[in-house]
């Protein structure tokens, strides 16, 4: 199963929801997709969906998923990574009316600049390529949680 989550921010994230739904409808995704669509106004036609999930249900779907596709909120993608899941992160962008600024993209760029390997997409056209079976099979999750916590503590103590 693929689990897609856009979080609880009050602006729609139609760009991600519609892209995944279209890929499922075109059979570019051949497994079940369950979506948490939040305030998105696009309603999926080819995927199961719900607007919001509570904490326990969110954890349940993340644990069940083979892959988590999510917005760029750190709590969301860090939770998926902590469950050992492969994650594709699509930051919400201001120019599409998905957020008030581009802090998700900026934060992800900074994390990647510091050596953390995160799979991120900005252009939704790139999602189809990442979902190809060959790519999924070649990608192996490597946890960097300890190193992240160590660096975060160092930053906090330096303030």
């Amino acid at each position: 199963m693929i689990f897609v989550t856009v979080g609880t921010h009050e602006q729609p994230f139609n760009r991600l929801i519609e892209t995944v739904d279209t890929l499922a409808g075109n059979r570019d995704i051949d497994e079940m997709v369950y979506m948490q669509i939040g305030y998105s106004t696009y309603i999926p036609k080819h995927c199961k969906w719900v607007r919001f999930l509570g904490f326990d249900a969110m954890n349940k779907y993340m644990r069940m998923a083979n892959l988590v596709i999510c917005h760029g909120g750190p709590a969301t993608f860090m939770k998926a990574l902590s469950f050992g899941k492969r994650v594709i992160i699509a930051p919400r962008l201001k120019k599409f009316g998905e957020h008030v600024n581009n802090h998700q993209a900026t934060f992800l760029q900074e994390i990647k600049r510091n050596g953390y390997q995160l799979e991120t997409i900005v252009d939704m056209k790139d999602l189809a390529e990442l979902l190809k079976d060959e790519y999924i099979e070649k990608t192996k999750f490597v946890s960097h949680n300890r190193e992240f916590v160590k660096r975060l503590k160092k930053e906090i103590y330096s303030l």
Side-chain angles (χ1 to χ4, degrees):
M1 177 197 59
I2 296 174
F3 178 54
V4 179
T5 178
V6 301
T8 58
H9 181 70
E10 57 275 356
Q11 290 174 274
F13 199 179
N14 292 331
R15 187 169 58 102
L16 178 60
I17 298 301
E18 186 172 359
T19 298
V20 175
D21 192 50
T22 299
L23 291 170
N26 293 342
R27 303 274 189 223
D28 292 321
I29 297 174
D30 61 359
E31 57 186 303
M32 186 187 104
V33 178
Y34 190 77
M35 299 181 166
Q36 178 269 314
I37 69 168
Y39 291 99
S40 298
T41 56
Y42 176 86
I43 303 300
K45 300 168 188 67
H46 309 286
C47 304
K48 294 181 180 185
W49 63 275
V50 65
R51 288 219 178 265
F52 298 100
L53 292 168
F55 181 79
D56 291 337
M58 180 73 70
N59 286 342
K60 172 187 156 187
Y61 285 103
M62 280 194 184
R63 282 190 174 103
M64 288 174 32
N66 299 319
L67 169 67
V68 175
I69 303 172
C70 64
H71 65 112
T76 301
F77 69 78
M78 294 295 284
K79 174 62 82 170
L81 290 171
S82 77
F83 289 147
K85 300 303 175 176
R86 180 165 175 262
V87 181
I88 298 174
I89 307 164
R92 290 172 173 264
L93 299 175
K94 180 181 180 178
K95 71 180 180 181
F96 297 113
E98 299 162 349
H99 221 304
V100 297
N101 58 32
N102 292 326
H103 73 277
Q104 289 186 353
T106 303
F107 181 71
L108 288 165
Q109 287 171 349
E110 186 64 18
I111 288 176
K112 289 172 83 170
R113 189 182 68 74
N114 281 289
Y116 294 97
Q117 296 178 4
L118 296 175
E119 196 62 62
T120 60
I121 57 167
V122 175
D123 188 335
M124 290 298 153
K125 294 176 188 171
D126 296 335
L127 187 56
E129 188 66 29
L130 288 177
L131 293 175
K132 287 185 177 176
D133 290 342
E134 314 84 66
Y135 184 86
I136 290 172
E137 290 174 12
K138 288 179 188 173
T139 305
K140 181 160 175 60
F141 171 76
V142 177
S143 176
H144 296 282
N145 286 353
R146 286 189 182 147
E147 181 63 23
F148 178 81
V149 169
K150 182 179 168 184
R151 287 183 183 184
L152 182 61
K153 282 181 181 178
K154 183 178 177 183
E155 289 296 320
I156 291 170
Y157 293 133
S158 71
L159 297 175

